[in-house]
Amino acid sequence: MTRMKRSHLAMHTHGALTFLPLAALGSWFALAALNGCSAESLSGTTPMTKVDTSTARALERKDSLNKKEIDPKVSSASARGTGTEALTGSKGTVLPRCNAKPSNAGPKIWRLTPTQWAASLRALGANPDAAGFPPDSKAGRFDNNPSGLILRNAHAAFFEAQSTLAAPAVVTALRASTACAKQSPQALSTEECRAEFSRVALEAIFRRPPEAEEVSRHAATLEKLVDIEGKDAALNDFVALLLRSPHFLFRTHAPQDGETQSPVRKAYAIASHLSYSLTDAPPDAELKQAARSGALLTREGLARETGRLVKSEAGKAKFIDFAKQWLLISHKPGFEPERDSAVFADYSAALYRDMVLETEEFLRQEVLGSGASVRAAFSSTQGQVTGALSAYYDGNRKGISPGGTTSKVDLSERGRFGLLTHGSVLVALSQRGMTHALHRANTVRSHFLCYPLPGPPSDALAQVKDKNPPAGPTTEKMRFESFLKTARSDCASCHATFVPYGLALENWGADGRFRQRDGTLDIDSSGTLPAPHGASVTFKTGFDFLTQLASWDATAHCTMLHAHEFHWGSKATAGHSCALEAQGKASSADTPLIDVYLAPVADPAFFDAW
């Protein structure tokens, strides 16, 4: 469509609306208004003339203020002393304090990821190319945080080009779904059939039934397009416009302040959030039917759909994606952790990929397939390993090349005991030439138990260096004990509360192998530390420590908080605090890990603020 024709169309369909030619696309929200979604309904702010990084940051700031983010790293003492909406649960994990009057915790301005955008177009009959999708920045621990999914001018140009390319294929699919067009190929020459086509297009592309006013307005837009450029070109341009709409490019419609969302609109919003959270794809026919019937607004219907979706191939892949990010092993190909070849001659990037495959297959077979509990996931000796990895865990390579298929074996004789002893995790939590007890300790306590540490003093780096290191060969524990004797008292007392978490894992080297000795010295992995439930815990070996960690409900609670952040794109908020507290109390070490993962989207209470 030429600029003159577009301007002519704008004057006839939207009155005073400024409709910038899409070839320039200098205003994202002009496009939003064309598609019946005002800037105010998206952001709650006044219309903006340009969407760039500064605009996105402004939206993020407003979103943060509206949601009143709760930082789960706040200490229990500060929470009690300042009234911060967080508490330390009886099991030690920091959980939000139940807020009887939740603040706005509804849908965010949440753009589709490249994977979700491509899947959404494929569901409409197109074959998109996401290779040129402008890169997104990672915000927070997971890659689907809305704060990182911002809109730049590069996105607008990409969406314009791709929607134009995809439109003909989508039009063909929509014709086949429009009753009057199926009856007669010439039916779309009539205004009545084009109105029906508009309704079908809106429902398919917006992933929800359109309201009568939307159908009327968009049908009028299609008629103006037909007047300007003819039927066939008009259908393509009309669909291209819808594919650039925020209602397609964003997960859900965000209600304006004071707006009441109808049960139907809410049900479809839940369907959209649920499907993209669990499968990275738009709602399928069964999920749409559950929304249409109102089943998604019931606890039983929501649980049924979450269970069904997670068992699909896309659902399994999404769960494994979550778990790899949660376990800190989501490394892109070519960026696998390196090891010092002079120290670890047998280690290689290809072997590390076998380690990641071991974790993926464990999650697929034991967690998804057999329903392993949190306790079992953190204590199982069952492994899914390649021949090369099996030999490597035995202490040799036997000339076997990494790669190939995996087989289930018992790894108890090779030092394996749950997820934290998978080679993939151990290597990720180590340095190039040695283990890193401090890093491992902080990760286990803060990341896997959500048992936060206080912030270090400003001169921490100067204090952690041992002024009088022991002479001769030493183990990591010997060096730590020397540090405790020479460090400032407040530093020593703090490190004593968490470093033993890392020292308990010293039997597993930086190369992922089990070992009894560090150099020429025997490893002593015994220790005492404060546990998440408030009492001190003493353990004789690393296996003893891992057995206790697997039995703590705090481990399940913390996993649930990670799942919440993954599904909702941010840390716990005041709006979800009551639901999180209830789920925390219901989760235990013996809860199936997959149920803990689903808890933040399988409970209707999480959607109550919508």
Side-chain angles (χ1 to χ4, degrees), residues 112-126:
L112 301 182
T113 67
T115 299
Q116 294 165 355
W117 169 83
S120 300
L121 278 179
R122 284 195 293 270
L124 294 170

Side-chain angles (χ1 to χ4, degrees), residues 503-573:
L503 295 175
L505 300 178
E506 272 297 292
N507 280 119
W508 292 272
D511 58 349
R513 282 172 162 167
F514 182 77
R515 60 182 187 166
Q516 298 283 10
R517 301 170 71 83
D518 182 358
T520 61
L521 301 177
D522 290 336
I523 292 174
D524 177 10
S525 56
S526 64
T528 300
L529 46 75
H533 48 69
S536 294
V537 168
T538 298
F539 48 92
K540 296 180 180 179
T541 66
F543 294 107
D544 186 14
F545 165 71
L546 290 169
T547 299
Q548 296 188 59
L549 180 142
S551 71
W552 294 335
D553 292 343
T555 308
H557 295 175
C558 186
T559 304
M560 185 267 293
L561 287 177
H562 281 281
H564 174 91
E565 183 175 347
F566 181 76
H567 291 307
W568 290 95
S570 67
K571 295 176 182 177
T573 64

